[in-house]
């Protein structure tokens, strides 16, 4: 309830600071509510109903007014918003500089960028920005608002296609749009890709309904279904996979029902649809899905998809989705709403009664009952797959529509009372879920931080220095939340990722904890231990959220040492043995290990040198050197150039030794000395270390993709071109057929006169 109190406080402050905007938003929501009431009255009453296109247009206007919250002032930085905005900026910068979005040295200590996640959302935001001229934050708000409204309209069309009347379809679409699990997780918790996932879901099953009603050919349904599968996976690999698997489960349901009724033709058609859809999805999205499973060993911080199934977990999930006390405390199982769950329960019980007791149900109705099946089995999955709530919401809303339809059919005696019942239902939905539309959390004014980072970045570029800027943004004083800390040496004034960061992220989490304790909590100067850690990570500047900035002297991207030693340091909290997600969940971010390792390295503050480079365990394949020469300056480097995909520098060592680069170890990087491929290894911080021969040499670190992923890239490119050509041919053929058919129709009408 602390979050609820904080949210109410934020709301009051917002009303005080933005009275005109608040009045405008409330007026817009009021107009939307009146419009929804009028639409239901007009479409469910005795008057001539409006045309479907008019209803869709007015419904889109109502949804647009309900969602004006997206345009509140501020930047998308709370929750996961900072991560997604950072990655959007990163993708735009990479593309503008003509590089590949496969790896970026300018995010954390090196980041695999879009190889393990998906980029549809970020690319869409960039597209909106280029088309409109708006900045990324404004473009994000506009895109999310548009796809959120569109998702509601497609939900309405889906409900109508399933023979629900206009009034119920409006109720279902409204519930889908303003449910906390839809609006809240996108707007407040900043899970931006979910906005597109919610857009893809009704499109998926609207296409399926057209195919079931034989309005779409099998080939077209398979290709479009495969494209939708691929698009959803490339939007967010986990949610997209859940959605694609759900679609296949629905097809399995259709096959099972058709088998029971011995409709072998439908069995064959559905199998072909599933196989065709799967093949197209595999061709287009295999580059992301397959390597993400096989290569995830390189990124041990990626969380597991599945949990364990337990009765306690199911009960907890039920409480989360049904009790308003959990409204703001659980995004993974966000509040769905009693106004949705109660009629859905009625609809489910009625379906069970007809199926088991009366046993009078046709094959067509049983096939079309897949939303009931998914809603039932999906509820069991809410504990082991907490994120499945977002997919489950769609089916629950549809089942709720059938529950309302049953209530109207059996409990309302007079047809004249039907519009009033619908209006009462939508009033219940708006009163229960509508207050979330006024929440102001999720945005924060970051303009001053943007300016500071841009200025510091210009200073680094002017000096020709390679160094990182650390933006420290502790959220509500909870300093162990290291995802609020972002490492960059480019102008990315946003947050970072605990999902895909390589292991040095754990070190950064510990540094953040110590930084919060020493500096943010009131101390004037950071300790020598903290400064040493920042130097090791090549942090040149630290920008605090209160506009305080302090520089770090002696930070270096390169560290030379005459020897490599195994770190004889205990790691009681297992900081290097756990993933970043595990550390985040357990709140175990200790500074003891990293401080001890840094001290044992014997750093030379004035030179890019150390007494030894520490590794976690012996490396038998690393060459042994007898030691460097004894001079005043045994090692120098110059000409360090850093891009997203590459790092290059020249060094001069008077003797053989070892070099540590302040970049994350990742096996698929390519390290060359004077153009010759060289082996490299992880140090105790999971940074790159390699044997460095004496003399003057050039070192190049280049990002590459595995042969497996490269092959999938080629397949996806060829497949996308082939599908695009096929689509153009289909559209041209349809247009030509329509153009020929129109004069013939006019000629027939002339003869009939």
């Amino acid at each position: 309830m602390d979050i609820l109190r904080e949210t109410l406080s934020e709301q009051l402050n917002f009303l005080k600071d933005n009275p005109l905007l608040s009045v405008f938003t409330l007026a817009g929501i009021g107009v939307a509510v009146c419009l929804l009431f009028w639409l239901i009255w007009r479409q469910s009453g005795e008057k001539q109903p409006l045309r479907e296109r008019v209803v869709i247009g007015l419904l889109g206007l109502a949804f647009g007014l309900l969602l004006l919250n997206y345009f509140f002032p501020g930047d998308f930085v709370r929750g996961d918003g900072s991560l997604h905005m950072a990655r959007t900026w990163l993708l735009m910068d990479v593309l503008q500089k003509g590089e590949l979005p496969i790896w970026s040295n300018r995010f954390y200590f090196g980041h695999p960028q879009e190889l393990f996640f998906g980029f549809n959302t970020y690319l869409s935001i960039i597209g909106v920005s280029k088309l409109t001229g708006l900045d990324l934050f404004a473009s994000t708000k506009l895109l999310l608002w548009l796809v959120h409204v569109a998702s509601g309209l497609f939900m309405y069309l889906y409900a109508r296609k399933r023979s629900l009347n206009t009034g119920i379809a409006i109720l279902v679409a409204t519930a889908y749009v303003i449910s906390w699990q839809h609006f809240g997780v996108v707007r407040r918790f900043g899970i931006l890709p979910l906005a597109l996932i919610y857009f893809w879901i009704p499109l998926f099953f609207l296409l399926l309904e057209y195919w079931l009603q034989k309005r779409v050919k099998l080939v077209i349904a398979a290709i479009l279904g495969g494209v939708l599968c691929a698009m959803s996976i490339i939007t967010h690999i986990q949610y997209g996979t859940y959605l694609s698997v759900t679609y296949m489960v629905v097809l399995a349901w259709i096959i099972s029902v058709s088998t029971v009724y011995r409709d072998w033709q439908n069995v064959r058609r559905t199998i072909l649809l599933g196989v065709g859809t799967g093949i197209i999805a595999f061709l287009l999205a295999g580059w992301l899905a397959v390597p993400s499973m096989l290569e995830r060993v390189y990124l041990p911080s990626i969380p597991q998809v599945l949990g364990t199934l337990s009765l306690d977990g199911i009960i907890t999930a039920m409480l989360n989705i049904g009790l308003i006390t959990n409204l703001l405390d659980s995004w993974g199982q966000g509040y769905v709403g009693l106004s949705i769950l109660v009629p859905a329960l009625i609809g489910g019980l009625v379906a069970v009664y007809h199926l088991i007791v009366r046993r009078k149900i046709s094959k067509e109705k049983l096939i079309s009952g897949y939303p009931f099946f998914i809603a039932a089995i999906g509820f069991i999955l809410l504990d082991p797959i907490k994120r499945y709530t977002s997919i489950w919401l769609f089916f629950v809303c549809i089942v709720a529509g059938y529950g309302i339809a049953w209530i109207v059919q059996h409990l309302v005696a007079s047809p004249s009372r039907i519009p009033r019942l619908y209006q009462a239902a939508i009033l219940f939905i708006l009163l229960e879920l509508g207050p979330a539309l006024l929440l102001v959390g999720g945005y924060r004014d970051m303009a001053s931080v943007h300016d500071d980072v841009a200025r510091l970045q210009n200073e680094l570029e002017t000096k020709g220095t390679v160094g990182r800027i650390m933006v420290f943004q502790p959220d509500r004083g909870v300093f162990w939340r290291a995802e609020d800390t972002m490492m960059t040496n480019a102008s990315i004034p946003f947050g970072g990722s605990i999902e895909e960061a390589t292991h040095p992220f754990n070190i950064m989490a510990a540094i953040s904890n110590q930084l919060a304790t020493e500096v943010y909590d009131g101390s004037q100067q950071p300790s020598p231990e903290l400064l040493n850690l920042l130097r090791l990570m090549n942090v040149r500047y630290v920008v605090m959220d209160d506009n305080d900035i302090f520089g770090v002297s002696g930070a270096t991207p390169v560290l030379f040492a005459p020897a490599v030693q195994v770190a004889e340091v205990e790691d009681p909290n297992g900081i290097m043995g756990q993933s970043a997600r595990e550390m985040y969940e357990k709140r175990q971010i200790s500074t003891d290990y990293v401080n001890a390792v840094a001290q044992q390295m014997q750093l030379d503050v004035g030179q890019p040198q150390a007494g030894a480079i520490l590794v976690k365990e012996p490396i038998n394949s690393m060459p042994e050197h007898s030691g460097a020469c004894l001079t005043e300056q045994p090692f120098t480097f110059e000409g360090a150039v850093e891009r997203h995909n590459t790092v290059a520098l020249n060094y001069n060592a008077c003797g053989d030794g070892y070099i540590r680069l302040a970049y994350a170890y990742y096996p698929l990087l390519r390290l060359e000395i004077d153009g010759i491929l060289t082996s490299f290894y992880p140090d105790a911080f999971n940074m790159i270390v390699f044997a460095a021969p004496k003399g003057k040499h050039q070192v190049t670190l280049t990002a590459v993709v595995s042969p497996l992923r490269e092959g999938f890239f080629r397949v996806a490119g060829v497949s996308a071109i082939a599908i695009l050509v096929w689509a153009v041919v289909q559209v041209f053929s349809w247009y030509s057929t329509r153009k020929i058919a129109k004069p013939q129709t006019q000629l027939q009408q002339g003869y009939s006169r």
Side-chain angles (χ1 to χ4, degrees), residues 299-610:
L299 295 174
S301 58
I302 296 181
Q304 295 294 325
V305 176
L306 297 177
T308 57
L309 182 63
S310 65
L311 180 60
D312 292 342
I314 294 176
I315 294 174
T316 302
M318 180 177 65
L319 294 176
N320 280 338
I321 65 174
L323 294 182
I324 199 168
T325 54
N326 293 291
L327 177 60
L328 300 176
D329 294 311
S330 176
W331 66 264
Q333 297 166 333
Y335 183 64
V336 172
L338 294 176
S339 56
I340 300 174
L341 293 175
V342 171
L345 181 61
I346 294 173
L349 292 175
V350 171
V352 171
Y353 172 77
H354 281 276
L355 182 62
I356 298 178
V357 179
R358 296 187 63 179
R359 298 184 181 180
K360 292 182 179 180
I361 187 167
S362 65
K363 179 193 68 177
E364 289 73 18
K365 286 187 176 180
L366 194 56
I367 286 177
S368 66
Y370 64 83
F372 296 87
F373 174 66
I374 298 298
I377 66 171
F379 182 79
I380 301 175
L381 297 177
L382 296 185
D383 176 45
I385 312 178
K386 293 179 173 58
R387 292 183 172 185
Y388 193 75
T389 312
S390 300
I391 312 298
W392 185 70
L393 172 67
F394 171 81
F395 298 97
V396 172
C397 287
I398 287 295
V399 174
Y402 284 101
I404 296 173
W406 183 86
I407 293 173
V408 170
Q409 182 180 356
H410 293 83
L411 301 183
V412 179
S414 174
S416 62
R417 295 183 179 180
I418 292 178
R420 295 182 181 179
L421 177 63
Y422 290 160
Q423 289 174 340
I426 202 166
L427 181 62
F428 182 24
I429 294 172
L430 290 168
L431 288 177
E432 185 194 21
L433 303 175
L437 301 174
L438 298 175
L439 294 178
V440 298
Y443 293 161
R444 183 187 297 169
D445 186 4
M446 298 284 288
S448 61
V449 178
H450 297 187
D451 296 339
D452 289 337
V453 173
R455 176 176 57 81
L456 295 174
Q457 173 62 21
N458 289 333
E459 290 183 10
L460 291 176
E461 291 179 351
T462 301
K463 296 176 181 178
T465 303
V466 174
R468 295 188 172 94
I469 302 169
M470 175 179 174
V471 179
F472 185 66
Q473 297 286 323
D475 189 12
R476 297 191 295 274
V478 185
F479 302 118
W480 53 261
R481 286 191 59 180
E483 81 276 18
D484 295 312
T485 302
M486 183 274 301
M487 296 295 301
T488 176
N489 57 352
S491 302
I492 314 178
F494 318 119
S497 167
I498 65 173
E499 298 289 341
E500 301 164 25
T502 42
H503 263 322
F505 177 89
N506 297 8
I507 309 302
M508 202 60 245
I511 294 176
S512 303
N513 191 41
Q514 187 163 340
L515 179 66
T517 303
E518 293 186 9
V519 181
Y520 194 81
D521 281 353
S523 301
Q524 296 300 316
Q525 296 294 330
S527 66
E529 292 80 9
L530 176 59
L531 289 175
N532 275 342
L533 293 176
L534 294 173
R535 293 185 185 108
L536 280 173
M537 299 304 177
N538 194 25
V539 176
R540 300 277 176 167
Y541 298 102
V542 177
V543 180
M544 312 293 284
D545 66 351
D546 55 2
N547 294 331
D548 286 342
I549 301 173
F550 70 84
V552 181
S553 62
T556 175
V558 183
L559 196 64
F560 179 82
V564 168
Q565 299 176 3
V566 176
E568 297 177 357
V569 179
E570 293 186 3
D571 185 12
N573 289 324
I575 188 172
M576 297 307 297
Q578 299 183 61
S579 70
R581 168 64 70 178
E582 290 173 327
M583 291 181 61
Y584 174 77
E585 295 293 344
K586 297 178 181 179
R587 280 62 165 169
Q588 292 181 348
I589 302 180
S590 171
T591 59
D592 297 338
Y593 173 79
V594 291
N595 279 326
V597 171
Q599 184 177 4
Q600 191 175 341
M601 289 178 69
Q602 302 174 17
L603 297 178
D604 185 342
V605 177
Q607 300 292 334
Q609 301 170 191

Side-chain angles (χ1 to χ4, degrees), residues 699-745:
V699 177
T700 305
L701 184 68
T702 308
V704 295
V705 296
S706 65
L708 174 67
R709 199 183 292 265
E710 183 179 355
F712 272 110
F713 276 141
R714 297 179 186 276
V715 170
V718 173
S719 301
I721 294 173
I723 291 174
L724 183 61
V725 171
W726 172 84
V728 171
V729 171
Q730 291 295 316
V731 171
F732 180 77
S733 176
W734 172 81
Y735 179 77
S736 300
T737 304
R738 185 181 180 187
K739 192 174 181 180
I740 295 173
K742 189 174 181 180
Q744 292 179 348
T745 303

